[in-house]
């Protein structure tokens, strides 16, 4: 910042470069929320492709019985790294990218509260990602204990496990800093007149998500630090030989892991809650109930962790508690689905690509939710624990949940980011190609799991061959759909190819982000905007 005198001799703080800086410095030293949002989204897509390549290697190996391409050790490395990269490298950073881009625009703030910390929290992710990916080239190969890093396997891995633990620490620090930034921005920098109950749903969902992240990332840090000291400093937290308990690791991990699941879906709920009203041309049905439902999900997420652990010899009383608590969490989630459907009811709906992905999200996420409800039953879960039924369930909520919402959000806000309209035909091709290939990939896995096929096995008997071949073909089609999306939708939009976008490309869209020109100027809302009574429009 430099001090500038105006004609009356008053001092004004001013950016040295009022417009966007140029060249590599713009990105390396970025403190503008829009640039950092873009960096997060590009990073997330890169990690999505890397994680996707690992997934396709897994599916290529499982195309038919017998060992085809990789040995069982490498297979387990692939499954572990696929999970870690997708969760911590793709889905979470993508939502942080949306938060950086949209939260200041939606609340009428000039930027995020801590701009330099914002830059730092992004750049921390690069060395962490490099460390994760490079673990394949370390002695003994990448970690192969599953993405949950359960003891005792995690205590027996080579040096790559230490690299993985360090990378997760760095990613966790990045998440905590980003979350603090979001909380402070939302609570202190809203435009005058925007009360908490007038905030856009995306801002609400991210505020709650940020609190969840601040609460649970240190828990993960504790679990993996105890693993590290068990490995190198003679402690025996998780080593039965020294009086430790490997099941204690599971309790600590899932106390982080279950809120983490909601960290990856709540921002998706926020995005869908913007898109459905815009294309149904109606107000969101039950705004207050949506806010309370989101808060309820966040609170309940802390008391359901051991539903991942029914098979560990838990007492029946404990099983009953976690079973009922898990069923209870489906109620606020059901409220959200009901509200979206009620918003669409008798609306003047059109089905542009964002709405297609939003409706696809509601349909497929609800299916994933139902399989989750089935897994909440202790007697059923004991049967299908660690089978492909569980794999199918969490891919329905994470791929068709989080990822579909990310695509929906991209298509919805892309005109605001780039200043051009994406190609609608290509968007629809991307949607149908993705939806069909996703279901072809993951729906058969329910049957494989019910028939007893365990996950993380590189080989399987002949009776599972047909469904596995089908899933593998679907997976390759799904992967190519995302390459198509990047080459034929994202790149042309980033290069400015396409019809020029108006400030408000969707006629019924509401929110302050549609009050600024498209593309959004480098600096927006330098003075807090004056809002109308709904806090969705600027007056004057």
């Amino acid at each position: 910042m430099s001090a500038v005198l105006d004609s009356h001799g008053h001092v004004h703080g001013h950016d040295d470069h009022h417009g966007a800086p140029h060249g590599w410095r713009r990105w390396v030293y970025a403190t503008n929320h829009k640039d950092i949002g873009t960096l997060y989204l590009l990073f997330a897509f890169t990690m999505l492709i890397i994680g996707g390549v690992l997934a396709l290697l897994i599916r290529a190996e499982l195309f038919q019985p017998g060992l085809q391409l990789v040995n069982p050790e490498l297979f387990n490395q692939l499954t572990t790294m696929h999970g870690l990269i997708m969760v911590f490298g793709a889905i979470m950073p993508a939502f942080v990218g949306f938060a950086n881009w949209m939260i200041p625009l939606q609340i009428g703030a000039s930027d995020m509260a801590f701009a330099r910390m914002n830059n730092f929290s992004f750049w921390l992710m690069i060395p962490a990602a490099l460390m994760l990916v490079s673990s394949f080239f370390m002695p003994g190969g990448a970690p192969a204990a599953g993405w949950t890093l359960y003891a005792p396997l995690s205590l027996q891995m080579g040096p790559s496990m230490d690299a993985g633990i360090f990378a997760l620490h760095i990613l966790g620090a990045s998440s905590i800093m980003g979350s603090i930034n979001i909380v402070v921005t939302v609570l202190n920098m809203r435009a005058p007149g925007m009360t908490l109950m007038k905030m856009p749903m995306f801002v609400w969902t991210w505020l709650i998500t940020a609190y969840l992240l601040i609460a649970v990332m240190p828990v993960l840090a504790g679990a993996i630090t105890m693993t590290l000291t068990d490995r190198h400093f003679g402690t025996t937290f998780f080593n039965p030989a020294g009086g430790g308990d490997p099941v204690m690791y599971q309790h600590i991990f899932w106390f982080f892991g279950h809120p983490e699941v909601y960290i990856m879906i709540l921002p998706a709920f926020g995005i869908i809650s913007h898109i459905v009203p815009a294309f149904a041309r109606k107000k969101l049905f039950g705004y207050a109930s949506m806010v309370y439902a989101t808060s309820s999900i966040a609170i309940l997420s802390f008391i359901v962790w051991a539903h991942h652990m029914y098979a560990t010899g838990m007492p029946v009383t404990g099983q009953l508690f976690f079973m009922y608590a898990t069923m209870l969490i489906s109620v606020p989630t059901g409220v959200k689905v009901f509200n979206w459907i009620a918003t669409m009811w008798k609306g003047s709906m059109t089905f542009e690509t964002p709405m297609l992905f939003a409706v696809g999200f509601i349909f497929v996420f609800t299916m994933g939710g139902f399989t989750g409800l089935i897994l909440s039953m202790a007697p059923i879960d004991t049967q299908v624990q660690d089978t492909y039924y569980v794999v199918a369930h969490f891919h329905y909520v994470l791929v068709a949940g989080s990822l579909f919402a990310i695509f929906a959000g991209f298509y919805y806000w892309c005109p605001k980011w780039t200043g051009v309209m994406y190609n609608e035909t290509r968007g629809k091709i991307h949607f149908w190609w993705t939806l069909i290939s996703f279901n072809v990939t993951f729906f058969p896995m329910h049957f494989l799991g019910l028939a007893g096929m365990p996950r993380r096995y590189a080989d399987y008997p002949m009776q599972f061959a047909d469904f596995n071949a089908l899933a593998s073909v679907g997976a390759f089609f799904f992967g190519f759909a995302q390459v198509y999306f990047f080459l034929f939708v994202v790149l042309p939009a980033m290069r400015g190819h396409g019809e020029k976008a108006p400030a408000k490309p969707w006629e019924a869209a509401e929110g302050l982000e549609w009050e600024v020109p498209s593309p959004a100027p480098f600096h927006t809302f330098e003075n807090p905007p004056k809002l109308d009574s709904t806090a969705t429009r600027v007056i004057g």
Side-chain angles (χ1 to χ4, degrees):
M1 298 285 278
S2 63
V4 179
L5 287 172
D6 69 7
S7 55
H8 301 289
H10 296 128
V11 177
H12 289 287
H14 234 297
D15 280 344
D16 290 333
H17 306 290
H18 199 69
H22 295 294
W24 59 270
R25 283 182 180 81
R26 169 175 178 178
W27 302 103
V28 173
Y29 301 138
T31 50
N32 183 283
H33 71 98
K34 301 177 184 76
D35 284 355
I36 293 174
T38 303
L39 286 169
Y40 267 110
L41 290 166
L42 289 171
F43 170 82
F45 192 81
T46 306
M47 296 304 279
L48 181 80
I49 294 300
I50 294 171
V53 167
L54 302 183
L56 293 184
L57 285 169
I58 293 167
R59 285 315 321 170
E61 174 56 56
L62 293 174
F63 180 68
Q64 57 188 36
L67 294 179
Q68 327 294 327
L69 303 170
V70 298
N71 59 35
E73 291 78 20
L74 179 55
F75 185 85
N76 280 344
Q77 293 171 31
L78 292 173
T79 53
T80 302
M81 295 305 292
H82 166 69
L84 289 172
I85 286 169
M86 287 305 202
V87 169
F88 295 104
I91 299 294
M92 287 170 69
F95 282 132
V96 178
F98 275 96
N100 266 294
W101 245 107
M102 299 317 303
I103 287 176
L105 283 179
Q106 292 192 324
I107 64 174
S110 56
D111 207 309
M112 298 295 278
F114 306 117
R116 290 188 192 284
M117 186 165 89
N118 207 9
N119 174 290
F120 187 46
S121 40
F122 171 73
W123 284 109
L124 274 179
M125 303 193 77
I126 304 299
L130 290 172
M131 211 180 310
L132 260 185
V133 175
S134 66
S135 64
F136 276 108
F137 307 103
M138 294 177 185
W147 84 275
T148 52
L149 307 180
Y150 275 4
L153 281 176
S154 56
L155 307 180
Q156 300 161 5
M157 295 282 134
S160 64
M161 179 58 71
D162 304 322
I165 288 172
F166 191 33
L168 288 179
H169 271 302
I170 297 172
L171 290 167
S174 166
S175 289
I176 290 170
M177 285 195 290
S179 300
I180 291 169
N181 213 344
I182 286 166
V183 169
V184 175
T185 305
V186 171
L187 294 185
N188 294 325
M189 295 178 67
R190 301 192 305 281
M194 182 178 281
T195 60
L196 284 175
M197 291 308 280
K198 286 182 181 171
M199 289 196 315
M201 271 310 300
F202 180 66
V203 180
W204 256 118
T205 53
W206 243 116
L207 177 65
I208 291 165
T209 301
Y211 276 117
L212 279 178
L213 274 164
I214 293 166
V216 302
M217 290 313 286
V219 177
L220 174 67
I224 57 179
T225 304
M226 290 154 89
T227 304
L228 195 69
T229 60
D230 274 13
R231 285 168 58 81
H232 297 293
F233 300 108
T235 58
T236 53
F237 291 113
F238 310 130
N239 185 354
D245 182 6
V247 175
M248 182 171 77
Y249 176 88
Q250 298 189 26
H251 278 290
I252 301 169
F253 179 87
W254 285 116
F255 190 79
F256 147 80
H258 207 79
E260 166 67 14
V261 172
Y262 292 99
I263 284 162
M264 289 189 284
I265 201 65
L266 289 182
F269 290 164
I271 291 172
I272 301 304
S273 299
H274 282 269
I275 294 171
V276 169
F279 292 95
R281 290 160 181 78
K282 279 174 67 185
K283 288 263 187 221
L284 179 66
F285 180 90
Y287 170 90
S289 65
M290 287 291 249
V291 172
Y292 297 135
T294 309
S295 310
S296 309
I297 289 170
I299 293 160
L300 290 170
S301 72
F302 284 100
I303 62 162
V304 295
W305 76 90
H307 66 206
H308 298 268
M309 299 169 55
Y310 289 140
T312 57
M314 190 190 301
V316 172
T317 321
Q319 291 189 25
L320 283 172
F321 169 80
F322 287 107
M323 187 164 99
Y324 293 139
T326 306
M327 288 183 195
L328 192 61
I329 211 166
S330 67
V331 176
T333 314
V335 166
K336 287 179 166 299
V337 174
F338 173 81
N339 285 11
W340 291 322
I341 293 168
T343 306
M344 290 189 271
W345 179 252
K346 294 197 173 172
S348 305
M349 289 205 290
T350 52
F351 291 96
E352 288 86 351
T353 311
M355 186 61 163
L356 284 175
F357 269 107
V359 174
F361 165 91
I362 294 168
F363 171 64
V364 195
F365 173 79
T366 304
M367 286 173 61
F370 273 126
T371 56
L373 205 50
I374 291 164
L375 287 169
S376 75
M377 315 262 181
I380 299 177
D381 184 82
T382 309
Q383 296 295 310
V384 294
Q385 172 83 17
D386 279 337
T387 68
Y388 269 79
Y389 191 88
V390 180
V391 176
H393 157 69
F394 70 71
H395 282 86
Y396 263 77
V397 286
L398 277 184
V399 182
S402 303
L403 193 65
F404 274 32
I406 288 165
F407 288 143
F410 170 82
Y411 285 108
Y412 184 60
W413 283 309
C414 165
K416 184 57 61 189
W417 298 344
T418 62
V420 295
M421 298 300 292
Y422 63 86
N423 183 303
E424 189 65 57
T425 308
R426 290 175 183 176
K428 285 180 171 160
I429 290 170
H430 174 227
F431 168 72
W432 288 110
W433 188 351
T434 299
L435 182 76
I436 293 166
S437 58
F438 168 80
N439 280 292
V440 169
T441 305
F442 293 105
F443 199 74
M445 291 185 190
H446 292 104
F447 303 120
L448 286 170
L450 289 169
M453 180 173 168
R455 64 182 179 178
R456 297 184 193 159
Y457 276 41
D459 192 8
Y460 53 86
M462 198 65 208
Q463 68 258 35
F464 300 136
D466 292 348
F467 277 146
N468 268 301
L470 189 62
S472 292
V473 171
F476 275 88
F477 275 101
F478 184 81
F480 291 136
Q482 310 330 313
V483 175
Y484 171 87
F485 165 67
F486 187 74
L487 293 179
F488 296 104
V489 180
V490 178
L491 275 184
M494 285 171 68
R495 289 178 175 157
H497 298 165
E499 178 193 332
K500 186 152 174 31
K504 194 172 177 182
W506 320 115
E507 61 191 80
E510 285 197 338
L512 298 185
E513 70 264 40
W514 307 112
E515 300 283 311
V516 300
S518 299
F522 192 67
H523 294 288
T524 42
F525 300 128
E526 291 188 316
N527 300 309
K530 290 187 175 64
L531 306 183
D532 68 0
S533 59
T534 64
T536 58
R537 294 187 67 82
V538 177
I539 19 181

